[in-house]
Amino acid sequence: YSLCGIQKVVREAGFTVKKLMALEAIFFIPLLLFRKFKNVFNYSKRDDFINIPRWLNSILTVIIVLEGKISYSINSFLGVSIICIARKK
């Protein structure tokens, strides 16, 4: 989904969008490249989950937490996850 697509679906379902933002923008380019790589080399695994070392997972967790704190105060339009806060009309 795109931000506009989510907003449309939420509104059509009878909700008012209070906050809509994209998160994890730092991962957008690496994930885009990974998906392109998969397509070029016909990598057919069903999902994108891979095992990574614990130290790398810790670093990525810190990045996600910091970005989450920063992103809440600004509306980011680029990212790999979308957060929507809505209220029923």
Side-chain angles (χ1 to χ4, degrees), residues 24-27 56-71:
E24 301 164 357
I26 196 167
F27 301 121
L56 180 56
N57 189 54
S58 296
I59 291 171
L60 295 174
T61 300
V62 168
I63 291 170
I64 289 171
V65 168
L66 290 175
E67 184 183 13
K69 290 180 181 186
I70 293 168
S71 294

Side-chain angles (χ1 to χ4, degrees), residues 6-59:
I6 290 285
Q7 188 171 33
K8 181 181 177 198
V9 168
V10 169
R11 285 185 175 161
E12 288 174 354
F15 290 84
T16 302
V17 174
K18 297 294 182 186
K19 181 90 171 161
L20 182 64
M21 61 185 161
L23 292 175
E24 301 164 357
I26 196 167
F27 301 121
F28 184 79
I29 298 296
L31 286 174
L32 178 67
L33 294 174
F34 177 71
R35 296 250 172 103
K36 294 294 182 188
F37 174 82
K38 280 177 48 174
N39 290 340
V40 168
F41 293 101
N42 294 324
Y43 182 75
S44 62
K45 190 175 175 187
R46 282 187 66 182
D47 57 44
D48 293 337
F49 292 105
I50 57 173
N51 290 324
I52 59 172
R54 186 172 292 208
W55 63 268
L56 180 56
N57 189 54
S58 296
I59 291 171

